[in-house]
Amino acid sequence: MLEPNIAGVASLIGDPARAHMLIALMGGKALTATELALEAGITPQTASSHLGKLVDSGLVMARKQGRHKYFQLQGAEVAELLEMMLNLSTQMAPLKITTGPGDPNLRRARVCYDHLAGEVGVALYDALVAGKYLVDNGSETLLTATGRTFFLSQGMPLDEFNGGRRPLCKSCLDWSERRNHLAGRIGQWILEDTLARRWASRDPVSRAILFSTGGFAKFAGKYGLAGCYAAFDFRGR
C-alpha cells in the first residue's frame, strides 16, 4: 500500500527558489517563467527546470496561450497549504519577528490566491460574523439563513455554487494578522465583486489590493465595516 509522500511535497516547496515562485503565484494571476525567475532571483533556464518539477508534482499547472506559457497554482488547496506554512514558519521563528509582509499595502489588503486577506480581510470576516451572516465555529465557518438572504440580495449566485468541491465559506488563518479571513466561494465572489465595482484594484507588481478612499467607504458600508473605517488610512488613493 502506497503512503502519502509528505517528504516529497515538502522538498519541492522547501527549495528557496521554488518557495519564492509559489508565493508569487498566491496572487492568483498566471505568470510566465521569466516573471517567476525575476521573483526568485534566478535565470529563466533555472526557473523552467524548477517549474517542470512543480508541474509534474501537481502543485502548479501550466497553460499555453499563443506563443507563451503561463503558470498557476493547481488550486485553492495549494494556496491554503502555503498560507499555513507561512504562519507556521513565523511561529517557529524568534519571538521578535514581525509576522506577515513588511509592505504596509500588503499588510492592509492583499490577495490570498482568490480571496481577500490582510487587515481588511480579517475585518471583513469579523463584520460578517458580527452581522450574523456567518457563524464561526472555530475550525468551521457556516453560512446562516440571514447570510444567504443578504448575499442573494447583493447578486451573489449562491445556487450556482451548490455541488462544487469547494465549500461556500471557509476560514483561513491570516499570515500577518493571525486571525481568520474568509476563503471559499463566497470569499472569492466578494473579492471579484469589489474589483468589478472598481472600489479597489490589484497592485500590478505585488499581491496588494489597493482601495480608493471612496471605494473603501462603499465596501465598508456594504459589509458592515463602518465601525473600523478609521483604522485604515486610504488617503491619497
Side-chain angles (χ1 to χ4, degrees):
M1 179 178 175
L2 293 175
E3 295 195 4
N5 186 10
I6 296 174
V9 174
S11 66
L12 282 164
I13 298 174
D15 179 89
R18 289 195 288 266
H20 277 95
M21 290 192 288
L22 288 167
I23 291 171
L25 291 172
M26 285 181 69
K29 292 180 5 182
L31 300 174
T32 65
T34 301
E35 291 168 329
L36 290 166
L38 289 172
E39 289 285 343
I42 56 178
T43 66
Q45 292 82 1
T46 302
S48 292
S49 174
H50 284 308
L51 287 165
K53 294 176 182 178
L54 292 171
V55 170
D56 290 344
S57 71
L59 291 172
V60 168
M61 62 179 177
R63 299 174 59 187
K64 200 163 185 182
Q65 187 166 323
R67 297 164 55 188
H68 300 284
K69 185 184 283 188
Y70 297 90
F71 298 89
Q72 290 178 289
L73 295 183
Q74 187 64 248
E77 294 85 356
V78 179
E80 289 165 9
L81 171 62
L82 294 171
E83 186 83 359
M84 285 189 288
M85 293 185 75
L86 286 168
N87 277 297
L88 182 60
S89 66
T90 53
Q91 290 172 26
M92 296 173 67
L95 293 177
K96 292 185 179 179
I97 192 170
T98 300
T99 60
D103 183 345
N105 286 331
L106 283 170
R107 294 183 69 83
R108 186 180 296 115
R110 64 181 180 273
V111 176
C112 179
Y113 185 61
D114 63 1
H115 55 271
L116 192 61
E119 296 169 350
V120 176
V122 169
L124 169 68
Y125 185 89
D126 289 346
L128 293 175
V129 172
K132 302 190 185 306
Y133 302 139
L134 301 177
V135 172
D136 181 1
N137 285 338
S139 61
E140 184 181 41
T141 301
L142 301 173
L143 177 67
T144 65
T146 300
R148 180 178 177 80
T149 300
F150 168 75
F151 286 120
L152 285 172
S153 73
Q154 300 301 317
M156 184 181 293
L158 280 172
D159 293 335
E160 295 179 15
F161 295 163
N162 291 333
R165 289 180 54 194
R166 195 173 183 197
L168 276 177
C169 44
K170 181 179 180 180
S171 63
C172 183
L173 184 62
D174 195 90
W175 172 33
S176 54
E177 297 303 295
R178 298 295 183 85
R179 293 164 54 212
N180 286 339
H181 64 240
L182 181 63
R185 299 295 297 273
I186 293 177
Q188 178 183 3
W189 184 90
I190 289 174
L191 176 58
E192 290 176 350
D193 182 65
T194 299
L195 295 173
R197 292 176 185 271
R198 298 186 179 180
W199 294 346
S201 61
R202 289 176 177 264
D203 187 327
V205 296
S206 76
R207 288 199 285 144
I209 294 294
L210 306 175
F211 281 86
S212 65
T213 303
F216 185 75
K218 293 176 181 177
F219 178 85
K222 180 173 183 175
Y223 295 112
L225 281 74
C228 68
Y229 181 82
F232 304 107
D233 183 6
F234 296 99
R235 288 172 297 181
R237 297 195 181 287

